[in-house]
Amino acid sequence: MTPGQFAMAVFCMGLIVVGSNILVQVPLNDWLTWGGLSYPIAFLVTDVLNRRFGPGAARRVAWVGFALALIVSIWVASPRIAMASGLAYICAQLADIQVFDRLRDQRWWVAPMLSGTVGALLDTAIFFSVAFAATGTPWVTWMLGDLAIKLAVNLTMLAPFRALMWNLARPEPLDTPSVNQRA
């Protein structure tokens, strides 16, 4: 992964997480916040990175994205939201990366589908229990609505993942000599 690719991946991840931290504070109804619609895209970014560059690069982006998003989120969201988001994000991303890597040799859709599901379950349970428990908000219904949306978005992200696999997410080629170099 080049420094430019790394910087772009961290920027995208930070944008998704910070934007979602702002949007999670804006309820759509008693079942859903706006953040539930944007945050699942973070798992698509992680899975594309994992497929293209491997789990080590995906983890580095997750950790740097976590640090930057946490710093910015403290300014744009409440400290409780920022801390809950940071804890949920890093636990869910690391679990997603691990599950994806173990399943990468299965059919193309198995790794992103199952890793995204594990990540969504972990992220949702940690985030909503830390961010909203004992606040008087309908956090349990928000959690259930958020989880339902994350799982639905995870399904819809399979199509972009498949499309990106053909261009961006193909594993990096090994350092093998080209046809001209072999002659």
Side-chain angles (χ1 to χ4, degrees), residues 95-112:
D96 177 271
I97 292 165
Q98 182 70 25
V99 170
F100 186 98
D101 190 50
R102 291 202 178 210
L103 299 173
R104 75 171 47 251
D105 294 328
Q106 304 294 317
R107 293 181 159 269
W108 72 266
W109 56 269
V110 172

Side-chain angles (χ1 to χ4, degrees), residues 142-172:
W142 285 352
M143 181 175 67
L144 295 174
D146 186 83
L147 179 59
I149 291 298
K150 282 179 184 166
L151 295 175
V153 171
N154 189 40
L155 275 173
T156 63
M157 288 293 105
L158 289 176
F161 178 81
R162 179 69 172 177
L164 291 169
M165 271 181 53
W166 295 114
N167 297 308
L168 300 175
R170 277 186 264 169
E172 278 193 318

Side-chain angles (χ1 to χ4, degrees), residues 1 3 12 21 23 28 39 45 48 54 56-57 65 70 80 92 109 112 115 128-129 131 134 144-145 181:
M1 176 179 263
C12 289
N21 285 348
L23 294 172
L28 278 165
Y39 182 74
V45 171
V48 168
L70 186 61
R80 186 171 177 168
W109 56 269
S115 66
F128 280 91
S129 61
L144 295 174
Q181 291 174 327

Side-chain angles (χ1 to χ4, degrees), residues 50-114:
N50 199 341
R51 175 67 71 194
R52 174 76 166 103
F53 300 107
R59 276 190 214 93
R60 283 190 298 280
V61 169
W63 278 109
V64 173
F66 160 76
L68 294 176
L70 186 61
I71 291 166
V72 174
S73 291
I74 289 172
W75 286 318
V76 299
S78 72
R80 186 171 177 168
I81 295 288
M83 296 309 272
S85 173
L87 179 62
Y89 166 82
I90 201 62
C91 290
Q93 289 295 318
L94 294 176
D96 177 271
I97 292 165
Q98 182 70 25
V99 170
F100 186 98
D101 190 50
R102 291 202 178 210
L103 299 173
R104 75 171 47 251
D105 294 328
Q106 304 294 317
R107 293 181 159 269
W108 72 266
W109 56 269
V110 172
M113 181 66 192
L114 294 180

